[in-house]
Amino acid sequence: MQDLLLSYYGDDLTGSTDVMEALELGGVPTVLFMRQPDAAMLAQFAHCRAVGLAGTSRSETPQWMDTHLKSAFVWLKTLNAALCHYKVCSTFDSSPTIGSIGRAIEIGRSVFAQDSVPLLVGAPQLKRYTAFGHLFAAYRDKYFRVDRHPVMSRHPTTPMDESDLLIHLSRQTELTSGLVDLATLQSASRSKAFDRLLAEGTDIVLVDVDSLETQALAGKEIWRARKPGGSFVVGSSGIEYALLAEWVSNGTVRAEPKFSPPGAADRIAVVSGSCSPTTERQIRHALTDGFDGIEVDPVELISAASGDAIARATAAGRASLEAGRSVVLYTALGPAADRGGEIDRQEGARHKLGRGLGELLRALTIEQKLQRVVIAGGDTSSHALGEMGVDALTVRMPLPASPGSPLCVAHSRVKAIDGLEVALKGGQVGTDRYFSAIRDGLSS
């Protein structure tokens, strides 16, 4: 694998596919591995110019990161890409004890022996914006400061109660921080201001992005400041969109992406571990559009009786699929059905929940010879897909109406899983018709 532009670690699976989609849309061939590949697996994707590693750090502790995230960064560094990106959610939800972005920066900074780490979170393509250090996000065509966002301010695990990202980070790390704000970014002194923060050894340098224009300027600065042997950067998939603007401008990337329509599937299976109101609307819409709904008790799924719960859900899913109908198997129908309090009484329960849904989906996929499936929920997806025996993903087709949730192709040593089309979506991602659109071949 030669001349890599980018390597990256995604803090959850849907975030990882978000990056892959952005790069593929920009003409950069990309592969996403579920775990560190051996030489033979890596060689299968020698044509790629970007390599990703899907992780679970968004739902892990700093102690977990010290071991697992460090080893991932060490491996990514061996790829010698021009940049290595630690990908975080564009809503930046994290805490000192779960998904600590501050701790991840500390680890990456150490592995790459790098004094200053650029940070970029704004991504207009996803309706995420940073202005003078504060993060704003859209919800149903309205825009909110993230600490007033109807969903993210009430996230069941990592609620965002601070929109100033550097203040938010100060709760997670003692590293120093600085800001290249919108006014500075658009001024003639942009590069001098950016370089001054780096020269002063500012540990974290946040760059504002509120538009495609400022995004392109941010990408220019991050690419210009890279070091020989590779530099470490942190942020949302706004990093990729910013870099792509620069790569197109300087001629690094020229290819025009081409995607052939996948066509409709006669039936699909969806598993959802999301409590999001967005996913709730998607499930409710699907139930009016040819899908059967099957409720799976999340507490039973993590209990000693999990095998019975999976067997019953599999039987119910089998009946629907054999009748020619698509099916949604879900553990919650919106925030009102969230049973996180009960689930979190058991250590590692959320991971077990995801693995249980993955076991369920694997059984239905193999038994019913499904060609296309969906996993909903960022934390759920990472653990569910791992249970299915998937080694790597590539992009089959972007979904323009729902950026960040493409239809992918699974690569697996398991014959029945290899070639499976799978869509992975975070809780907040997608239009109400998302599941139907995946079934119908991404038609509007």
Side-chain angles (χ1 to χ4, degrees):
M1 191 167 287
Q2 303 293 322
D3 192 26
L4 281 183
L5 291 172
L6 188 82
S7 64
Y8 72 94
Y9 179 99
D11 68 350
D12 71 2
L13 187 52
T14 56
S16 302
T17 56
D18 178 13
V19 169
M20 183 167 60
E21 177 185 48
L23 289 166
E24 287 279 358
L25 280 169
V28 179
T30 305
V31 59
L32 174 65
F33 292 107
M34 299 301 102
R35 61 195 66 82
Q36 293 180 27
D38 58 25
M41 177 66 69
L42 194 60
Q44 292 182 36
F45 301 94
H47 65 287
C48 291
R49 299 196 69 192
V51 172
L53 187 61
T56 61
S57 57
R58 183 180 178 188
S59 59
E60 306 287 2
T61 66
Q63 293 73 29
W64 181 96
M65 290 181 177
D66 289 340
T67 300
H68 299 87
L69 195 53
K70 182 176 181 179
S71 65
F73 287 162
V74 168
W75 177 75
L76 288 169
K77 190 174 188 294
T78 67
L79 298 179
N80 297 315
L83 289 172
C84 179
H85 173 202
Y86 178 67
K87 196 275 179 188
V88 303
C89 184
S90 59
T91 50
F92 217 71
D93 51 306
S94 54
S95 78
T97 57
I98 295 293
S100 172
I101 297 170
R103 185 63 186 134
I105 293 175
E106 292 171 356
I107 296 168
R109 186 170 169 267
S110 173
V111 169
F112 283 82
Q114 186 171 316
D115 291 333
S116 298
V117 176
L119 171 65
L120 188 154
V121 181
Q125 293 82 355
L126 305 180
K127 298 184 179 180
R128 308 287 194 261
Y129 312 90
T130 50
F132 298 92
H134 290 264
L135 176 60
F136 298 81
Y139 178 71
R140 296 186 69 78
D141 298 323
K142 294 184 179 179
Y143 297 85
F144 300 87
R145 209 172 70 182
V146 73
D147 56 347
R148 298 175 181 175
H149 192 278
V151 176
M152 297 319 303
S153 65
R154 305 167 190 170
H155 190 283
T157 307
T158 50
M160 287 294 287
D161 60 0
E162 176 56 67
S163 64
D164 187 317
L165 297 185
L166 297 185
I167 290 178
H168 183 69
L169 274 178
S170 71
R171 301 168 178 171
Q172 303 174 15
T173 179
E174 294 182 358
L175 294 176
T176 62
S177 60
L179 172 67
V180 179
D181 61 41
L182 291 175
T184 303
L185 187 62
Q186 296 175 89
S187 72
S189 61
R190 173 185 69 248
S191 295
K192 288 182 179 180
F194 189 77
D195 289 346
R196 183 168 58 251
L197 287 169
L198 299 183
E200 291 172 351
T202 307
D203 299 328
I204 302 169
V205 179
L206 174 63
V207 184
D208 268 344
V209 168
D210 73 336
S211 64
L212 297 180
E213 291 74 22
T214 54
Q215 187 175 68
L217 294 173
K220 189 176 294 293
E221 294 306 314
I222 290 173
W223 186 244
R224 180 184 63 80
R226 74 192 188 281
K227 302 295 183 183
S231 293
F232 179 68
V233 298
V234 176
S236 70
S237 59
I239 290 274
E240 279 67 37
Y241 288 112
L243 289 171
L244 283 164
E246 174 60 14
W247 290 340
V248 170
S249 174
N250 65 25
T252 299
V253 173
R254 295 186 177 87
E256 291 289 334
K258 296 180 180 178
F259 302 97
S260 57
D266 59 344
R267 60 210 172 120
I268 69 170
V270 179
V271 295
S272 172
S274 171
C275 300
S276 161
T278 301
T279 304
E280 177 187 4
R281 291 196 306 273
Q282 291 162 343
I283 293 172
R284 292 189 184 281
H285 182 278
L287 300 185
T288 69
D289 193 25
F291 285 75
D292 289 342
I294 298 169
E295 186 173 359
V296 182
D297 187 331
V299 175
E300 187 179 9
L301 199 58
I302 62 171
S303 72
S306 60
D308 294 337
I310 291 171
R312 287 198 307 275
T314 301
R318 178 188 304 120
S320 293
L321 292 165
E322 288 181 346
R325 294 174 63 81
S326 294
V327 62
V328 184
L329 303 107
Y330 58 90
T331 59
L333 197 55
D338 181 17
R339 299 177 69 183
E342 296 172 78
I343 292 169
D344 289 335
R345 291 173 190 160
Q346 182 183 138
E347 186 176 356
R350 290 185 182 270
H351 298 358
K352 186 176 181 179
L353 180 65
R355 290 194 298 270
L357 289 173
E359 183 179 342
L360 168 57
L361 186 58
R362 176 186 169 116
L364 288 174
T365 298
I366 294 174
E367 179 186 299
Q368 297 295 312
K369 297 181 173 58
L370 299 179
Q371 301 300 308
R372 190 175 299 166
V373 299
V374 182
I375 305 174
D379 296 340
T380 303
S381 296
S382 301
H383 302 287
L385 203 62
E387 194 69 23
M388 293 182 70
V390 174
D391 296 314
L393 293 173
T394 52
V395 170
R396 172 66 179 85
M397 185 81 179
L399 186 54
S402 303
S405 55
L407 184 64
C408 300
V409 175
H411 303 269
S412 174
R413 294 177 176 87
V414 180
K415 185 176 180 181
I417 300 297
D418 191 49
L420 176 70
E421 294 180 345
V422 53
L424 306 124
K425 75 160 219 81
Q428 311 308 317
V429 174
T431 65
D432 290 358
R433 200 177 174 277
Y434 181 85
F435 299 139
S436 298
I438 295 294
R439 179 197 60 194
D440 298 340
L442 313 187
S443 60
S444 60

